Amino acid sequence: MKIRFLLAALLLHVAAFAATAQDVVVRDAWIRAAPPNAPVLAGYMTLENRSDRSKSLVGASSPAFGSATVHRTAQVNGVARMHHVPSIDIGANGKFVFQPNGYHLMLMEPKRPLHAGDRVRIDLEFSDGSKASALFPVREQAEQLPSHASH
Ligand SMILES: [Cu+2]
């Protein structure tokens, strides 16, 4: 009797944890390959919010980089400029796309040279304390094109 109750309570916890862990899913993650001595790399991804509450991305980190921040590239008088974006809201059941010439993860101080084919873990943190992690493959930008061609 008591064991059955404990088991039910345990299953409820597992279910609750699973729901929280998958609130935001990272898709189409990649890091643009750069020369081996590049001090900064850029990462791209699509964030899918699978919950019915809006989520706010407030931080990023990676064991492979000294720091990771969200940047946006915008054209100012015909010149591309980047600026830091402190947080990004992803609406309930919405998505947010990071892509070249727009939003990106600015990955600074790589701890070792990264080459096309390497995979790098990046951890994302949201304002409600939840986290999401993904492996970002390093690749040349041209390889991004097939995802458009497949539509
Ligand atoms: Cu940047």
Side-chain angles (χ1 to χ4, degrees):
M1 190 73 164
K2 192 176 182 187
I3 286 176
R4 185 180 289 177
F5 172 78
L6 284 174
L7 197 60
L10 186 68
L11 285 173
L12 276 174
H13 275 92
V14 169
F17 176 77
T20 306
Q22 297 193 352
D23 273 0
V24 177
V25 175
V26 182
R27 294 187 53 196
D28 301 330
W30 64 290
I31 290 171
R32 180 156 56 191
N37 58 347
V40 173
L41 286 88
Y44 307 99
M45 62 188 166
T46 296
L47 295 179
E48 276 186 12
N49 182 359
R50 297 187 176 175
S51 75
D52 51 13
R53 288 193 296 179
S54 84
K55 291 274 181 172
S56 189
L57 175 68
V58 293
S61 61
S62 171
F65 294 95
S67 78
T69 51
V70 174
H71 272 192
R72 184 185 184 191
T73 301
Q75 299 287 330
V76 179
N77 297 327
V79 179
R81 290 177 187 276
M82 298 193 300
H83 60 94
H84 175 239
V85 180
S87 72
I88 281 179
D89 291 331
I90 311 143
N93 299 300
K95 68 177 184 176
F96 196 98
V97 179
F98 289 66
Q99 59 193 353
N101 301 315
Y103 288 88
H104 54 277
L105 290 169
M106 192 95 277
L107 306 166
M108 285 167 272
E109 301 158 47
K111 295 181 179 172
R112 62 181 173 86
L114 294 168
H115 307 282
D118 289 345
R119 288 170 171 269
V120 173
R121 196 185 92 218
I122 296 179
D123 303 311
L124 305 172
E125 189 180 337
F126 300 89
S127 61
D128 61 2
S130 62
K131 294 178 192 292
S133 296
L135 284 176
F136 284 59
V138 178
R139 66 186 197 215
E140 308 292 339
Q141 180 162 11
E143 295 179 37
Q144 170 74 350
L145 294 175
S147 73
H148 289 268
S150 66
H151 284 283

